[in-house]
Amino acid sequence: MNLSGVLFFPVTPFGADGALAGDVLAEHLRLGLEHQPGGVFVACGTGEFSALSEAEHAEAVRIATETVNGRVPVLAGAGGPIGTALAQARAAGDAGADGLLLMPPYLASGPHEGYTAYVAAVAEVLPTIIYQRGSVVLEPDQAVELARLPGVVGIKDGVGDIDRMQRIVLAVREEQPDFLFFNGLPTAELTMPAYRGIGVELYSSAVFCFAPEIAVAYLNGDEHLIKEFYAPLVRLRAKVPGYAVSLVKAGVRHRGLDVGGVRPPLVDPSPEHVEELVRLIKSGLTLVEG
């Protein structure tokens, strides 16, 4: 799978009635595509994957594939109970998605053989990137075993253990030099210098949702954004659980697209935190625009 550059994880817009706002999602995608992302990951973490019904998930993926129209790969979130994950995977395939980002299964846990079977079943449907986070924390030998499964094409890391990831990257790439790895930590740009040091160049960019100009400037080597924009943004994000998603939605709203608020258990940012975010966006745009 050919993924490169900034990876776009769109939010999922909701209307005043609380329902999925499909026309707004299509516009959100069109605006992002103007800045040439290397891939679109719809109905994933930033897209409030866990808050969507199966019907809403399928509709979001359909809108994404139709809007993107083959310009870049489209991957959909899948996960949770095995039946749900398989239903989401099949719906994504029917909608024309190119692959999946596989979230961890919830609540139930078992030995690594059970997780391997879980991944294998989903990866039979569409090419699959495993999301390492939460209950899924891999040892290098487990990563190698998963990478050998037909249909498994990559690992997204949301744990941030650089020592572990270095050992995983070395072990997997010894067999599969082209296997995909990418940094999936919230506000991944802040930690990209460390990930690049272990050979991981891809990353997801939540900032791309609301300030693609800043995200693209960082990709092109504007490293002073780390100190002046990304580090303060991470400090703001850390103030309240769930701000990794709700701040992004607030940023999109500030830039002029009404994507609604977040669904429980997430909460929308307080007015003072929105004001802080607005100041950061203004400062970041000033930096990149000179």
Side-chain angles (χ1 to χ4, degrees):
M1 185 178 298
N2 184 23
L3 295 173
S4 61
V6 178
L7 303 180
F8 179 20
F9 282 65
V11 301
T12 300
F14 302 123
D17 60 356
L20 175 69
D23 56 338
V24 183
L25 175 57
E27 180 64 11
H28 182 38
L29 288 161
R30 283 192 289 267
L31 291 170
L33 286 167
E34 292 177 2
H35 296 269
Q36 300 180 326
V40 170
F41 287 68
V42 65
C44 293
T46 307
E48 295 181 75
F49 162 82
S50 61
L52 302 179
S53 70
E54 287 188 21
E56 289 173 326
H57 177 278
E59 179 68 2
V61 179
R62 182 192 64 78
I63 291 167
T65 57
E66 290 182 356
T67 305
V68 173
N69 194 27
R71 281 174 281 185
V72 296
V74 174
L75 292 89
I82 185 64
T84 301
L86 288 171
Q88 291 166 335
R90 291 167 184 146
D94 290 343
D98 299 289
L100 304 168
L101 177 62
L102 184 59
M103 311 290 183
Y106 304 137
L107 295 179
S109 61
H112 77 269
E113 293 88 353
Y115 180 67
T116 300
Y118 175 89
V119 173
V122 176
E124 285 184 359
V125 182
L126 281 175
T128 296
I129 295 172
I130 296 165
Y131 198 172
Q132 176 175 243
R133 62 176 294 180
S135 61
V136 177
V137 181
L138 305 172
E139 293 296 334
D141 59 338
Q142 296 168 349
V144 169
E145 180 181 1
L146 291 166
R148 289 171 178 162
L149 292 173
V152 174
V153 298
I155 293 173
K156 175 183 179 181
D157 180 47
V159 173
D161 184 334
I162 295 297
D163 174 85
R164 180 188 300 271
M165 276 305 296
Q166 177 69 93
R167 290 182 287 116
I168 287 174
V169 169
L170 290 173
V172 172
R173 285 187 173 161
E174 187 174 356
E175 292 188 4
Q176 300 187 50
D178 297 327
F179 193 81
L180 293 172
F181 289 98
F182 64 96
N183 176 1
L185 291 174
T187 319
E189 287 92 340
L190 186 68
T191 52
M192 274 312 295
Y195 278 83
R196 289 192 179 107
I198 62 170
V200 176
E201 295 290 337
L202 284 174
Y203 61 95
S204 55
S205 177
V207 170
F208 189 89
C209 286
F210 62 85
E213 306 95 328
I214 296 173
V216 171
Y218 173 78
L219 178 69
N220 291 337
D222 197 344
E223 293 288 345
H224 71 290
L225 285 168
I226 289 288
K227 179 180 179 181
E228 303 296 331
F229 174 79
Y230 286 105
L233 179 62
V234 168
R235 288 195 292 271
L236 175 60
R237 187 199 73 210
K239 291 182 178 181
V240 177
Y243 267 17
V245 176
S246 57
L247 277 176
V248 175
K249 268 197 159 175
V252 177
R253 291 194 300 272
H254 168 67
R255 297 301 301 278
L257 190 64
D258 186 2
V259 292
V262 293
R263 286 178 173 174
L266 301 180
V267 297
D268 291 312
S270 66
E272 59 268 30
H273 289 162
V274 171
E275 289 177 8
E276 188 174 347
L277 175 65
V278 169
R279 288 195 296 271
L280 280 174
I281 293 172
K282 182 179 179 181
S283 173
L285 291 173
T286 299
L287 285 170
V288 302
E289 292 167 359

